[in-house]
Amino acid sequence: MKLSQSPTLKTPIVIRTPSCHMLREERPSTGSGSCQNVNSKHRSAFGNVLAFTMLSIVTRSTGLHRALRLGTCISIKQMQAVCGDKKRYASSSEETRRIPKIYTKTGDKGFSSTFTGERRPKEDHIFDALGTTDELSSAIGLAREFCIDSGHSFTDQLDKIQCVLQDVGSNIATPRSSARDSHIQKTKFSSQAVIELERWIDSLTEELPPLTNFILPSGGKGSAALHVARGVCRRAERCVAPVVRSGETDPEVAKYLNRLSDYLFTVARYAAMKEGNPETIYKRPE
């Protein structure tokens, strides 16, 4: 990416404070005389990397450090370069070492950690339920893309469902046998999500023709993909059931998955109807 220079920016001033760095981007006075201050907190989990949200990256241009608004990160070494007399820029190898890696190697021996810090084998019911819930979210995400392409109005509901499934996963990943009160409070699952699904189902059903026959997954790409998600949802529910019975997970999670499969069936039919695609009726083979 080529970074263009802006003639309106002056040299940025960095004010060092005990808790953070403040990057001030000065601009020529326009009568109102304003400047922009951007604060960044040091995140120790990422080493010497400061996380910025729509903040600044410091670049070098004709001997002056200029601030350009970008969504990115800069290291403390680079921040110090603006106000210190030491080495002005961290080496690229130094900066590369500070980038967090996606792999941790902690699961190489077939064990993984719950939110409570407990180590369990990966074939444990907890991780089986977690993995299937993740698979369900992925299936809904694929179906959602097909439905967006078809211009359906309910895609925001699918988006919200994927977010709720993150909460479902958090609850499953917090087995009650090893959880403290703080863990339980952070991952508590609300029954309001179930009520919302029921309201959506009722609203969609009012527009659908009555179901008089068994139907097969069909009705176009969006509808068929939603039926696939429904099947994955049923499997997720079966995986969660033993975890709920053992008292490790909130029963509302199982109730949500049960209602979600009903929603996915209904919305699949709705997608086919809106697109004018016929649903394939089951016929007993002769």
Side-chain angles (χ1 to χ4, degrees):
M1 178 186 296
K2 183 177 181 181
L3 301 177
S4 60
Q5 301 179 13
S6 171
T8 62
L9 294 178
K10 294 184 178 180
T11 304
I13 302 172
V14 172
I15 303 172
R16 297 173 65 90
T17 66
S19 59
C20 64
H21 297 279
M22 181 177 291
L23 180 62
R24 173 171 295 174
E25 183 182 278
E26 293 191 344
R27 301 177 183 275
S29 176
T30 58
S32 59
S34 62
C35 66
Q36 297 180 345
N37 294 333
V38 181
N39 289 331
S40 61
K41 294 182 180 179
H42 176 226
R43 300 187 178 214
S44 59
F46 288 87
N48 285 335
V49 179
L50 296 176
F52 280 75
T53 305
M54 292 302 292
L55 300 184
S56 306
I57 182 173
V58 178
T59 62
R60 188 172 187 177
S61 174
T62 63
L64 299 176
H65 297 79
R66 302 185 180 278
L68 301 177
R69 190 176 297 273
L70 289 175
T72 186
C73 299
I74 60 177
S75 68
I76 289 178
K77 289 282 188 182
Q78 289 172 310
M79 291 290 289
Q80 290 173 337
V82 187
C83 57
D85 294 330
K86 296 181 179 181
K87 184 171 59 176
R88 301 180 69 82
Y89 288 95
S91 67
S92 59
S93 60
E94 238 183 329
E95 192 170 345
T96 301
R97 287 198 297 271
R98 294 191 183 98
I99 298 175
K101 295 180 179 180
I102 190 62
Y103 54 88
T104 63
K105 302 182 181 180
T106 58
D108 288 354
K109 295 183 179 180
F111 287 81
S112 192
S113 297
T114 65
F115 177 60
T116 61
E118 181 185 5
R119 298 286 290 177
R120 294 194 180 199
K122 291 192 174 184
E123 68 271 19
D124 188 272
H125 285 316
I126 293 291
F127 298 122
D128 191 20
L130 271 176
T132 312
T133 301
D134 182 35
E135 186 182 346
L136 170 58
S137 181
S138 299
I140 291 175
L142 178 61
R144 178 177 174 273
E145 293 301 316
F146 285 131
C147 293
I148 288 174
D149 290 344
S150 298
H152 287 298
S153 60
F154 56 78
T155 54
D156 59 327
Q157 295 177 0
L158 299 179
D159 182 64
K160 188 169 185 178
I161 287 168
Q162 286 183 286
C163 292
V164 173
L165 286 175
Q166 291 293 111
D167 297 334
V168 167
S170 296
N171 191 275
I172 295 171
T174 312
R176 299 298 186 264
S177 60
S178 59
R180 298 191 298 271
D181 288 341
S182 58
H183 290 135
I184 294 174
Q185 289 301 317
K186 285 180 180 179
T187 61
K188 187 176 181 180
F189 190 77
S190 173
S191 60
Q192 185 60 38
V194 178
I195 296 173
E196 187 170 45
L197 278 180
E198 291 173 348
R199 188 171 65 250
W200 290 346
I201 293 170
D202 293 340
S203 177
L204 295 171
T205 302
E206 288 178 358
E207 298 186 45
L208 288 172
L211 189 62
T212 58
N213 296 285
F214 288 111
I215 61 171
L216 305 178
S218 55
K221 291 180 180 179
S223 177
L226 287 166
H227 278 295
V228 170
R230 173 181 59 81
V232 177
C233 187
R234 289 294 193 194
R235 177 152 49 87
E237 184 184 0
R238 293 193 298 273
C239 291
V240 167
V243 183
V244 171
R245 279 196 300 271
S246 66
E248 295 282 48
T249 299
D250 194 327
E252 290 296 325
V253 166
K255 188 183 296 184
Y256 181 81
L257 292 173
N258 182 272
R259 209 69 79 251
L260 178 56
S261 62
D262 293 332
Y263 167 83
L264 291 170
F265 177 78
T266 305
V267 78
R269 294 193 64 218
Y270 184 84
M273 181 194 71
K274 285 296 184 180
E275 293 178 31
N277 297 324
E279 295 176 297
T280 302
I281 305 297
Y282 163 76
K283 295 179 181 179
R284 187 179 180 87
E286 296 295 338

